[in-house]
């Protein structure tokens, strides 16, 4: 009788990459935060200051999403289901999420022109290009679509499962509400 050789935990290389990713995302977040607070010295030193200036210049406020997505990706590597063969899909989804998010931040410039730089160089360039041929609403719809598809690709996020769980929760809420009012009305009789 043969036993299935199921993976119960991540390998050492996968776990080391996950821990490294968590520390890099924490470094990024602290660098971005201390740089945005305008203190004299960056909490992460000169390397943190330079990193924060380069990344926030390129992605604007999307830098915070970049740090969060790196943390999420690192946490995914703790799962035994995550494998290095999925890394191209995750990287592509990760890239699309950051680009579309930065561009959506720059789309706030439709309301106030001062927000054009909110997505950094990346968001400003991509949104301006997309807006020139798809128009205001078309550009925003395309960017939301890219954001959702990229999120689904990188984290195996399923909109169907979210809607299914929402419907189950809504049905349970309605059922409990109806039973509450029915039992309350029976108590008055």
């Amino acid at each position: 009788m043969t036993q299935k050789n199921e993976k119960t935990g991540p390998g050492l290389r996968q776990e080391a990459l996950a821990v490294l990713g968590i520390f890099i995302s924490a470094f990024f977040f602290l660098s971005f935060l201390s740089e945005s607070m305008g203190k004299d010295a960056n909490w992460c030193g000169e390397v943190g200051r330079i990193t924060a200036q380069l990344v926030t210049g390129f992605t604007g406020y999307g830098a915070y999403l970049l740090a969060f997505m790196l943390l999420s990706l690192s946490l995914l590597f703790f799962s035994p289901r995550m494998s290095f063969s999925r890394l191209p899909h995750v990287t592509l989804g990760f890239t699309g999420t950051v680009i579309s998010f930065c561009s959506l931040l720059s789309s706030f410039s439709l309301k106030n022109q001062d927000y054009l730089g909110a997505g950094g160089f990346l968001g400003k360039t991509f949104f301006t290009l997309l807006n020139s041929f798809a128009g205001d609403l078309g550009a925003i719809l395309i960017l939301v679509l890219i954001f959702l598809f990229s999120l689904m690709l990188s984290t195996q996020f399923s909109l169907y499962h979210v809607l299914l769980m929402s419907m189950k929760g809504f049905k349970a809420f309605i059922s409990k509400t109806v039973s509450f009012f029915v039992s309350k009305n029976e108590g008055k009789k």
Side-chain angles (χ1 to χ4, degrees):
M1 180 181 250
T2 60
Q3 293 180 345
K4 287 185 179 180
N5 191 9
E6 288 188 27
K7 214 173 171 185
T8 58
L12 180 62
R13 187 173 85 170
Q14 190 171 333
E15 196 170 330
L17 223 66
V19 170
L20 179 67
I22 290 170
F23 278 97
I24 290 173
S25 67
F27 177 80
F28 278 178
F29 180 73
L30 292 173
S31 296
F32 302 151
L33 188 62
S34 65
E35 188 68 24
S36 68
M37 294 175 85
K39 300 288 183 188
D40 293 337
N42 193 297
W43 296 337
C44 297
E46 191 64 23
V47 174
R49 184 186 65 78
I50 292 170
T51 302
Q53 287 176 349
L54 286 173
V55 175
T56 56
F58 190 67
T59 61
Y61 291 116
Y64 292 99
L65 177 72
L66 187 68
F68 177 74
M69 290 292 289
L70 184 58
L71 176 67
S72 300
L73 176 64
S74 300
L75 293 175
L76 280 176
F77 267 95
F78 279 121
S79 169
R81 294 184 328 136
M82 180 66 177
S83 68
F84 286 103
S85 63
R86 277 204 63 238
L87 202 54
H89 296 112
V90 171
T91 304
L92 183 64
F94 181 77
T95 305
T97 302
V98 171
I99 290 172
S100 60
F101 183 75
C102 291
S103 301
L104 283 168
L105 287 174
S106 291
S107 73
F108 289 132
S109 66
L110 296 173
K111 181 75 174 156
N112 185 346
Q113 199 62 23
D114 294 337
Y115 293 125
L116 186 59
F121 173 77
L122 180 67
K124 179 181 175 182
T125 304
F126 199 75
F127 175 70
T128 304
L129 178 69
L130 198 56
N131 191 25
S132 67
F133 76 87
D136 296 344
L137 189 58
I140 292 172
L141 288 174
I142 290 170
L143 290 170
V144 169
L145 180 70
I146 292 171
F147 183 80
L148 286 175
F149 279 169
S150 298
L151 199 60
M152 291 166 68
L153 186 62
S154 63
T155 62
Q156 292 182 329
F157 163 79
S158 171
L159 201 54
Y160 171 74
H161 284 95
V162 169
L163 291 173
L164 192 64
M165 293 301 289
S166 299
M167 288 302 295
K168 284 182 181 178
F170 182 71
K171 285 179 183 177
F173 173 74
I174 294 296
S175 172
K176 297 243 185 228
T177 304
V178 167
S179 66
F180 173 75
F181 285 117
V182 167
S183 66
K184 194 168 187 151
N185 284 339
E186 289 176 355
K188 289 182 178 181
K189 290 181 182 181

